């Protein structure tokens, strides 16, 4: 490829609304052009990166035995109504009507469609296991699209769906996909981590996320400093040991006028917030639920949803508390037996705690007894907690989710009656797995992890070109032009993905743009070096360049690339 035959459009300045480095660089380098909120055109230079990622994913998925297909982006409502997700999925789903007023959606995911295919095409256990995958555009109507392609409304995704006769077979496929994902992200050249995760709106029995490690990541990952344990903050857990109560002292009711916050109680009693029992009240379908947690911990809404069994809850208002006999700022664990109470499992370590006395302007100190038969996990872990495998302490880092695998079980196959005949000739519901990769998001994640003040330093496996040739005076010097063309042709014949910058431009501009757009290797051809039968080679990731004999050039470039 020559620049005169290609299209590169770079900018000196990033758009003002670009917050992340990846968004700034992708726009400046001409990878993408914004069409509308959360909608981007992939320009030729960016599309080359996207296609290289696709190629790696496709090679590894095929090697795993998965079979590629392509499903429609537009899906009929009745499939989603069968599984109950037409309403459940929420406003992220873009719903549309055709000219006959039939309801459709622009697919945010394809569980329903693939299950419909399976129930029509699979009828015997002999056809299983099978794993279908596609690489296709999805649409989710994000309430606030931001960060460029990192959180766009339209995005490219690889989604795969496997079908099995039993759980053991699913487990084997899940482990195979786990290994396949590790190979994919390793080949791309990313620093990543797999973490236990919540299944979210997709549902299912077990799941893992794959995160590119980056300080700009939206997700918090908790990991052990001494073991392989790692989990998304929504899933992360810890272990607690029951307080010994050896330091038990008598409970006392203390007058605490107008002291209604954790901070005020901390100051009044001169204690750590972890010794304060905090009460947070939620309204769930017009019924109140009081959640008791230590003052130093925050409620995890994902965990709470699983305990309550519904996502239809919100923080209760003061007038709702008073209506049920609760006094805001002074709610305690004793009494109020008509209201459902949840006690976080971290409370079992608490002793001599401060809590509300269910009487205005009063709190208990040295409170000991919690009246419950069951503690639940409804809070986020904090740094320093014991790893749940009891090996080491938990630490935090940030990550960008680029992959997610699920053991779906029979969530969709049961509701859509997708069954096969087993070995005994009896009808049996199939078991499913689901495996997704955010293809377009990987581009942004890779840039977040690999950049400097000059631009992108992309892994060579996904860089738009492996090498750029920068001839000094290409249009003025016959010798330079002839040698540049020859080297270019020789590199192409050797299978090197090379671009020749044959523009009429100053060397400084060509150098700056090649750095900006993330080409990992540069070859500079000038008259002075040619007189010595040499050319200059520089790697984007190294500060120094080196002079290479032209006779050794092809062998040298192959060894580098």
């Amino acid at each position: 490829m020559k620049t005169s035959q290609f299209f590169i459009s770079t900018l000196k300045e990033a758009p003002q609304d670009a917050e992340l480095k990846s968004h700034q660089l992708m726009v400046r380098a001409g990878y993408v052009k914004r069409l509308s909120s959360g909608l981007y055109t992939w320009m030729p230079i960016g599309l080359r990166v996207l296609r290289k990622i696709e190629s790696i994913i496709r090679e590894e998925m095929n090697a795993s035995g998965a079979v590629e297909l392509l499903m429609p982006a537009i899906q009929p409502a009745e499939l989603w109504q069968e599984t109950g997700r037409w309403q459940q999925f929420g406003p992220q789903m873009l719903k549309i009507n055709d000219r006959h007023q039939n309801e459709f959606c622009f697919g945010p995911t394809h569980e329903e469609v693939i299950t419909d295919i399976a129930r029509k095409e699979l009828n015997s256990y002999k056809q299983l296991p099978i794993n279908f995958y596609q690489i296709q555009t999805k649409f989710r109507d994000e309430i606030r699209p931001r960060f460029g392609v990192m959180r766009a409304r339209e995005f490219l995704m690889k989604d795969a769906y496997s079908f099995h006769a039993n759980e053991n077979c699913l487990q084997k496929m899940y482990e195979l996909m786990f290994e396949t994902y590790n190979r994919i992200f390793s080949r791309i050249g990313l620093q990543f981590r797999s973490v236990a995760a919540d299944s979210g709106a997709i549902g299912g029995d077990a799941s893992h996320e794959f995160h590119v490690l980056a300080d700009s990541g939206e997700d918090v990952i908790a990991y052990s400093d001494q073991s392989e344990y790692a989990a998304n903050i929504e899933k992360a857990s810890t272990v607690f040991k029951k307080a010994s109560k050896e330091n038990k002292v008598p409970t006392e009711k203390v007058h605490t006028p107008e002291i209604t916050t954790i901070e005020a109680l901390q100051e009044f009693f001169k204690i750590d917030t972890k010794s304060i029992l905090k009460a947070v009240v939620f309204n769930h379908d017009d019924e109140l639920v009081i959640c008791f947690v230590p003052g130093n911990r925050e409620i995890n809404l994902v965990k709470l949803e699983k305990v309550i069994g519904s996502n239809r809850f919100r923080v209760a208002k003061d007038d709702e508390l008073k209506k049920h006999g609760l006094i805001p700022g002074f709610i305690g664990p004793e009494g109020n037996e008509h209201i459902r109470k949840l006690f976080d499992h971290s409370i079992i370590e608490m002793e001599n705690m401060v809590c509300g006395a269910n009487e205005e302007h009063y709190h208990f100190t040295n409170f000991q007894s919690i009246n419950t038969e069951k503690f639940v996990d409804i809070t986020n872990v904090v740094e320093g907690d014991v790893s749940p495998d009891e090996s080491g302490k938990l630490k935090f880092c940030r990550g960008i989710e680029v992959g997610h695998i699920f053991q779906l079980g029979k969530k969709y196959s049961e509701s859509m009656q997708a069954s096969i005949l087993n070995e005994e000739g009896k009808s049996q519901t199939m078991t499913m797995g689901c495996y997704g990769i955010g293809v377009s998001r990987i581009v942004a994640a890779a840039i977040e992890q690999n950049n400097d003040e000059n631009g992108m330093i992309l892994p060579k496996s996904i860089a738009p070109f492996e090498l750029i040739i920068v001839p000094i005076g290409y249009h003025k010097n016959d010798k330079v032009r002839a040698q540049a063309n020859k080297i270019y042709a020789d590199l192409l014949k050797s299978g090197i993905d090379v671009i020749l910058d044959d523009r009429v431009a100053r060397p400084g501009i060509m150098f700056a743009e090649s750095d900006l757009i993330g080409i990992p290797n540069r070859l500079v051809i000038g008259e002075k070096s040619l007189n010595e039968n040499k050319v200059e080679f520089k790697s984007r990731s190294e500060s120094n360049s080196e002079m290479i004999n032209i006779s050794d050039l092809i062998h040298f470039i192959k060894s580098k690339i």
Side-chain angles (χ1 to χ4, degrees):
M1 184 70 67
K2 294 183 178 181
T3 54
S4 58
Q5 301 167 327
F6 196 56
F7 184 83
I8 298 175
S9 176
T10 60
L11 300 173
K12 289 185 178 180
E13 301 293 336
Q16 292 185 348
D17 65 338
E19 301 174 59
L20 291 187
K21 193 70 174 178
S22 59
H23 188 190
Q24 296 168 3
L25 290 175
M26 289 183 74
V27 173
R28 283 192 58 214
Y31 274 38
V32 295
K33 299 290 182 182
R34 182 180 182 274
L35 176 64
S36 184
S37 177
L39 303 177
Y40 290 87
T41 297
W42 283 86
M43 300 300 286
I45 192 76
L47 187 61
R48 289 184 65 87
V49 177
L50 200 63
R51 291 290 182 252
K52 288 188 175 185
I53 294 171
E54 281 186 53
S55 178
I56 292 172
I57 292 171
R58 189 170 277 112
E59 287 174 12
E60 292 296 340
M61 290 299 294
N62 292 344
S64 76
V67 182
E68 187 173 8
L69 48 59
L70 184 62
M71 293 175 274
I74 305 300
Q75 306 176 23
E78 52 262 31
L79 288 183
W80 288 75
Q81 289 163 351
E82 282 188 61
T83 61
R85 289 209 300 171
W86 186 250
Q87 299 299 330
Q88 178 191 357
F89 207 88
Q92 276 194 325
M93 182 187 288
L94 178 61
K95 298 178 180 179
I96 52 181
N97 294 78
D98 66 10
R99 67 179 67 193
H100 305 294
Q101 295 307 303
N102 296 313
E103 289 187 299
F104 294 84
C105 69
F106 193 127
T109 184
H110 275 72
E111 283 79 13
E112 282 79 3
V113 177
I114 197 66
T115 306
D116 181 59
I117 292 171
R119 68 182 174 183
K120 293 174 180 176
E121 300 295 330
L122 305 177
N123 50 56
S124 169
Y125 74 94
K126 295 180 181 179
Q127 295 171 278
L128 305 181
I130 191 164
N131 188 9
F132 296 110
Y133 82 95
Q134 66 173 351
I135 298 176
Q136 192 227 46
T137 298
K138 300 284 193 291
F139 188 94
R140 296 179 186 176
D141 198 4
E142 294 280 353
I143 189 171
R144 187 181 165 221
R146 54 182 179 161
F147 306 149
V149 301
M150 189 78 78
R151 188 167 289 281
R153 295 195 292 170
E154 183 181 278
F155 55 94
L156 191 65
M157 181 177 178
K158 188 283 298 179
D159 46 325
Y161 309 90
S162 63
F163 294 86
H164 310 268
N166 54 59
E167 292 289 340
N168 288 336
C169 184
L170 168 60
Q171 182 62 36
K172 291 178 181 178
M173 180 67 74
Y174 189 84
E175 292 170 0
L176 175 60
M177 283 295 97
F178 187 90
E179 295 169 0
T180 299
Y181 273 42
N182 276 291
R183 287 197 302 272
I184 287 171
F185 297 125
S186 294
R187 279 188 60 187
I188 291 172
L190 301 171
Q191 295 179 27
F192 70 96
R193 187 151 196 169
S194 59
V195 302
D198 181 77
S199 298
I202 302 298
D205 303 321
S207 72
H208 281 83
E209 292 173 348
F210 291 79
H211 286 262
V212 171
L213 304 180
D215 291 338
S216 58
E218 289 187 282
D219 293 289
V220 177
I221 299 169
Y223 66 95
S224 170
D225 60 2
Q226 293 184 24
S227 73
E228 293 299 312
Y229 175 81
N232 190 299
I233 193 69
E234 296 174 344
K235 183 79 172 180
S237 61
T238 183
V239 291
F240 297 98
K241 295 182 179 179
K242 192 171 183 179
S244 65
K245 305 299 182 184
E246 292 179 358
N247 301 318
K248 185 175 179 180
V249 295
T251 298
E252 180 182 358
K253 187 163 73 172
V254 180
H255 187 227
T256 52
E258 308 300 333
I259 298 176
T260 60
T261 67
I262 297 298
E263 293 76 14
L265 285 169
Q266 179 186 25
E267 177 64 24
F268 184 85
F269 288 104
K270 306 299 181 185
I271 56 173
D272 195 293
T273 56
K274 65 183 181 182
S275 298
I276 302 172
L277 187 64
K278 178 170 60 176
V280 184
V281 186
F282 293 90
N283 182 316
H284 172 233
D285 289 343
D286 295 325
E287 297 290 334
L288 296 190
V289 179
I290 309 175
C291 297
F292 290 98
V293 302
N296 67 325
R297 294 183 182 268
E298 298 298 325
I299 291 178
N300 182 312
L301 297 181
V302 174
K303 291 181 179 180
L304 181 60
E305 178 182 336
K306 290 187 177 299
V307 172
I308 291 179
S310 165
N311 62 358
R312 299 186 306 274
F313 59 82
R314 57 172 173 79
V315 175
K317 300 175 183 178
D318 282 358
D319 59 341
E320 294 172 325
L321 302 183
K322 294 174 183 176
K323 180 181 176 182
H324 287 79
L326 299 177
I327 304 171
F330 301 94
I331 301 170
E334 286 195 335
N336 301 310
E337 301 305 326
H338 62 292
I339 300 175
R340 184 182 181 186
K341 302 173 188 175
L342 297 175
F343 296 90
D344 186 64
H345 65 159
S346 57
I347 295 172
I348 65 176
E349 282 195 340
M350 297 178 69
E351 59 181 347
N352 301 326
M353 65 188 82
V354 169
C355 65
N358 288 316
E359 182 178 342
E360 192 166 13
H361 305 313
Y362 283 92
H363 281 84
F364 286 125
T365 61
N366 302 318
F367 189 84
Q368 308 290 342
S369 173
I370 295 295
N371 183 24
T372 183
E373 296 180 359
K374 182 181 179 182
F375 290 94
V376 292
D377 181 6
I378 56 173
T379 57
N380 288 327
V381 296
V382 297
E383 284 197 283
D385 278 346
V386 176
S387 177
D389 58 10
E390 298 191 54
S391 177
K393 299 292 183 69
L394 293 180
K395 290 188 175 182
F396 289 174
C397 66
R398 303 196 74 86
I400 300 167
E401 183 192 339
V402 291
H404 203 161
I405 60 177
F406 305 82
Q407 292 184 35
L408 291 178
K410 298 178 181 179
K411 174 180 171 68
Y412 298 94
S413 52
E414 276 188 346
S415 60
M416 296 185 70
Q417 299 180 351
S419 60
I420 45 93
L421 294 179
N422 62 19
E423 294 184 49
E424 288 77 36
K426 297 180 180 179
S427 180
Q428 175 182 313
T429 302
M430 286 183 281
T431 300
M432 293 175 60
C434 173
Y435 321 95
I437 290 179
V439 183
S440 48
R441 175 176 270 210
I442 287 176
V443 181
I447 296 168
E448 284 296 320
Q449 200 175 72
N450 301 276
N451 67 78
D452 63 12
E453 66 276 7
N454 296 319
M456 311 173 196
I457 313 177
L458 289 178
K460 60 184 180 182
S461 61
I462 63 171
F465 296 94
E466 294 174 322
L467 174 73
I468 185 170
I469 298 174
V470 181
I472 308 301
Y474 182 84
H475 292 277
K476 296 179 181 180
N477 190 305
D478 294 340
K479 184 177 182 179
V480 168
R481 183 169 59 255
Q483 191 64 61
N485 288 339
K486 183 181 185 306
I487 291 174
Y488 169 67
D490 289 344
L491 288 170
L492 285 178
K493 289 178 184 177
S494 299
I496 305 300
D497 186 15
V498 59
I499 185 169
L500 171 61
D501 196 338
D502 60 347
R503 295 176 296 168
V504 180
R506 296 193 303 273
I509 292 176
M510 292 190 283
F511 295 161
E513 289 196 348
S514 69
D515 284 350
L516 173 63
I517 64 180
I519 300 178
N521 301 292
R522 183 171 75 210
L523 201 63
V524 181
I525 301 175
E527 183 177 18
K528 184 178 178 180
S529 61
L530 287 180
N531 290 334
E532 300 176 2
N533 290 317
K534 293 183 177 181
V535 292
E536 181 185 1
F537 175 84
K538 184 180 183 303
S539 169
R540 177 73 173 83
S541 59
E542 297 175 4
S543 56
N544 297 322
S545 60
E546 52 187 314
M547 302 305 294
I548 311 300
N549 288 321
I550 293 177
S551 59
D552 301 328
L553 184 60
I554 300 300
H555 176 75
F556 174 84
I557 295 297
K558 282 187 173 182
S559 69
K560 285 287 186 180
I561 293 179

